Amino acid sequence: MTTYSFGGGMDVKGVQGSISFDGEWITITKKEVGQQARNFRIRAAEVTGTRLKPGTRLFHGYVQFVLPGSAPAVESKSLLTGGRPPQSDPHSLSIRHSANDAAAKLVAAVEQARPTQ
């Protein structure tokens, strides 16, 4: 959907939130209906894995970051939110089909910023 550069950073607009990456820090902002926006910050160097499930015209996809000592969030099985982590997962964000390209670029940038072992 939306990706733009600002000082070397990237931004992806998701469903009820966004993800931004400045080359070192990933900031996931989530806004649930009737709630204040919440920010979750993750250092790219701490990420041990990334998951990207592209959205389709019928279903949302998601971007997820895996951290040391934590397993990836389980995908929901419900009809409305099926195939993506729950909204309460602080390390993931649902994306629309139109955000697939921007999300892929952001995930690639995070992967590139991760330390190699």
Side-chain angles (χ1 to χ4, degrees):
M1 182 175 224
T2 305
T3 208
Y4 56 88
S5 293
F6 54 94
M10 307 180 90
D11 188 51
V12 175
K13 184 165 175 19
V15 179
Q16 295 182 333
S18 64
I19 301 174
S20 60
F21 180 57
D22 66 6
E24 182 179 356
W25 288 93
I26 303 160
T27 303
I28 301 173
T29 303
K30 291 189 168 194
K31 173 75 169 94
E32 293 185 50
V33 177
Q35 301 284 328
Q36 292 270 23
R38 297 176 298 155
N39 289 330
F40 303 96
R41 287 177 46 97
I42 306 166
R43 278 189 52 156
E46 296 173 0
V47 172
T48 58
T50 57
R51 295 174 71 186
L52 171 63
K53 181 177 182 180
T56 67
R57 294 195 189 281
L58 296 176
F59 298 102
H60 297 279
Y62 66 88
V63 175
Q64 183 176 62
F65 302 99
V66 182
L67 300 175
S70 67
V74 179
E75 293 181 0
S76 172
K77 302 278 189 237
S78 96
L79 183 60
L80 294 177
T81 63
R84 51 191 173 144
Q87 174 70 10
S88 60
D89 178 32
H91 305 127
S92 65
L93 184 71
S94 296
I95 58 170
R96 292 177 178 86
H97 171 73
S98 57
N100 286 344
D101 290 341
K105 290 176 185 173
L106 184 135
V107 167
V110 169
E111 285 291 334
Q112 197 169 28
R114 289 178 47 202
T116 57
Q117 297 177 359

